[in-house]
């Protein structure tokens, strides 16, 4: 699955030191700036102007644009963060046009587009080219989504910190807000590592994308768990309750909430264990240590487990939640199976050895 570009970049470096053509030519630099504007600038423009997307990413406000036009420093909106980040990235690239795998993949895509426009025909795609395009589509969907999640959970964390401080000062019981604070903190850790994973790809981090799931079923079963598609999924199956949902009696709520926080702690730790390899639908090499040395899908087990745990008291008054639990559990089982199928397409022998090392998919000594 490695492209000739990947191999060429490996030849350019020798122990991390540039050894052959370490920088882009002026022609390639012009093409890369065009590629950055096309593949990143155009989506940012759509985010800033589309009424359907503005509601998620906010009205456009940029630190650089407003600073230049109005001579004032402002906090950019989320779409403004993407715009300002693109400006900084282009400036950094022009100042230090060192070759990288990510930029060479952009050149490949740019050449495909130019060829298609000039020849009015699709170019011939190698297997590696298809990986490059799937990776771009993957990041186009997940990067804005994960960054929006990060802003949202950070805002919740700061709000709950203020509330917790005021409660501690008043002498009231802080248990409820402590649970919510703990949930937000753990999701903050989880999302932060996934944002980092989606934004990075480096031999130094050992997180080069070797493959992106080529199957429609793999993409489908993954994407229906995320906005905007999960709205339809929840509309069909119903929604599960999360740690912090209020029910009585109080002692049962405290016990289940504490167990739920333990499960979410393992869930967040699984994201930490992935480090720079944290991203959906990609294979960047196996992680076999930490929580992944106990079961092969610790994140799915603990995330769904926390949902089922907190949802169970509500089944007494709403038996339909049994179908909801079964539906969402099935989806995450399918996610695990499609991920294993994808890895075996690329590294069957390595994954089968991992299966021997860690025979349990979800629960040790059970399944």
């Amino acid at each position: 699955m490695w492209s000739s570009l990947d191999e060429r970049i490996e030849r350019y470096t020798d122990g991390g030191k540039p050894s052959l053509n370490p920088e882009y030519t002026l022609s390639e630099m012009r093409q890369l700036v065009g590629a950055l504007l096309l593949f990143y600038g155009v989506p940012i423009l759509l985010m800033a102007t589309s009424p359907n997307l503005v509601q998620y990413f906010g009205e456009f406000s940029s630190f650089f644009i407003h600073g230049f036009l109005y001579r004032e420093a402002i906090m950019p909106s989320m779409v403004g963060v993407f715009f300002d980040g693109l400006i900084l990235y282009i400036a950094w690239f022009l100042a230090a046009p060192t070759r990288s795998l990510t930029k060479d993949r952009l050149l490949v895509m740019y050449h495909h587009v130019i060829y298609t426009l000039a020849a009015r025909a699709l170019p011939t795609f190698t297997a590696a080219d298809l990986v490059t395009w799937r990776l771009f589509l993957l990041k186009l969907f997940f990067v804005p989504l994960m960054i929006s999640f990060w802003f949202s959970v950070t805002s919740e964390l700061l709000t709950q910190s203020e509330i917790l401080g005021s409660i501690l000062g008043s002498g009231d019981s802080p248990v409820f807000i402590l649970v919510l604070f703990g949930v937000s903190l753990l999701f903050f850790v989880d999302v932060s590592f996934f944002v980092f994973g989606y934004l990075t790809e480096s031999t130094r981090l050992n997180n080069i994308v070797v493959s992106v799931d080529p199957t429609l079923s793999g993409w489908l079963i993954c994407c229906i768990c995320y906005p905007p598609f999960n709205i339809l999924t929840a509309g069909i199956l119903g929604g599960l309750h999360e740690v912090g949902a209020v029910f009585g009696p109080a002692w049962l709520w405290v016990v289940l909430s504490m167990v739920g926080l333990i499960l979410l702690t393992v869930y967040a730790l699984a994201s930490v264990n992935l480090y720079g390899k944290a991203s959906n639908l990609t294979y960047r090499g196996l992680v076999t240590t930490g929580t992944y040395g106990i079961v092969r899908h610790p994140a799915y087990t603990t995330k769904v487990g926390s949902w089922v745990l907190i949802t169970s008291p509500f089944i007494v008054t709403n038996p339909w939640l049994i179908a909801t639990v079964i539906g969402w559990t099935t989806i995450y089982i399918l996610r695990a199976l499609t991920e294993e199928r994808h890895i075996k397409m690329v590294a069957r022998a390595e994954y089968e050895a991992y299966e021997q090392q860690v025979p349990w998919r979800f629960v040790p000594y059970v399944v």
Side-chain angles (χ1 to χ4, degrees), residues 17-28:
K17 297 179 181 180
S19 58
L20 176 65
N21 298 332
E23 295 185 346
Y24 291 103
T25 65
L26 286 176
S27 175
E28 289 174 325

Side-chain angles (χ1 to χ4, degrees), residues 37-258:
L37 294 176
L38 174 63
F39 295 117
Y40 296 120
V42 171
I44 290 172
L45 179 63
L46 291 175
M47 289 165 59
T49 57
S50 169
N52 294 325
L53 296 179
V54 165
Q55 62 179 323
Y56 293 106
F57 300 106
E59 298 288 341
F60 178 76
S61 60
S62 160
F63 178 84
F64 292 129
I65 294 296
H66 284 76
F68 177 77
L69 293 179
Y70 306 112
R71 302 293 192 274
E72 61 178 356
I74 67 162
M75 181 66 70
S77 63
M78 194 176 303
V79 67
V81 169
F82 289 122
F83 176 83
D84 292 338
L86 178 61
I87 297 299
L88 289 173
Y89 186 79
I90 291 176
W92 171 72
F93 164 65
L94 293 176
T98 306
R99 287 191 176 277
S100 75
L101 173 64
T102 304
K103 299 187 190 73
D104 270 16
R105 281 176 165 162
L106 274 177
L107 272 181
V108 169
M109 295 166 60
Y110 186 76
H111 291 161
H112 287 163
V113 171
I114 297 301
Y115 176 88
T116 301
L117 294 175
R120 297 182 182 179
L122 288 176
T124 300
F125 294 100
T126 65
D129 293 338
L130 294 176
V131 171
T132 294
W133 277 101
R134 286 196 295 268
L135 180 60
F136 171 70
L137 293 175
L138 179 77
K139 291 191 174 187
L140 192 64
F141 177 75
F142 277 107
V143 169
L145 188 63
M146 289 298 162
I147 291 179
S148 68
F149 283 171
W150 189 89
F151 273 92
S152 176
V153 74
T154 301
S155 176
E156 289 178 8
L157 195 59
L158 293 174
T159 300
Q160 288 157 9
S161 298
E162 295 176 359
I163 297 173
L164 181 60
S166 64
I167 290 176
L168 291 174
S170 67
D172 295 332
S173 175
V175 175
F176 177 72
I177 193 63
L178 273 174
V179 169
L180 296 181
F181 177 82
V183 171
S184 294
L185 178 61
L186 293 169
F187 276 111
F188 172 81
V189 172
D190 166 58
V191 174
S192 295
F193 274 87
F194 268 83
V195 168
F196 178 73
Y198 280 112
L199 292 178
T200 59
E201 188 180 5
S202 167
T203 53
R204 293 179 181 178
L205 294 173
N206 192 28
N207 69 339
I208 296 296
V209 175
V210 178
S211 176
V212 181
D213 195 328
T215 66
L216 180 60
S217 59
W219 279 71
L220 177 64
I221 203 67
C222 176
C223 290
I224 62 174
C225 298
Y226 294 93
F229 308 108
N230 64 347
I231 297 174
L232 177 61
T233 312
I236 296 172
L237 298 177
L240 295 172
H241 295 275
E242 297 189 3
V243 177
V246 178
F247 56 86
W251 68 267
L252 180 60
W253 179 86
V254 172
V255 170
L256 295 187
S257 294
M258 293 303 104

Side-chain angles (χ1 to χ4, degrees), residues 78 270 303 306:
M78 194 176 303
K303 186 177 186 178
S306 70

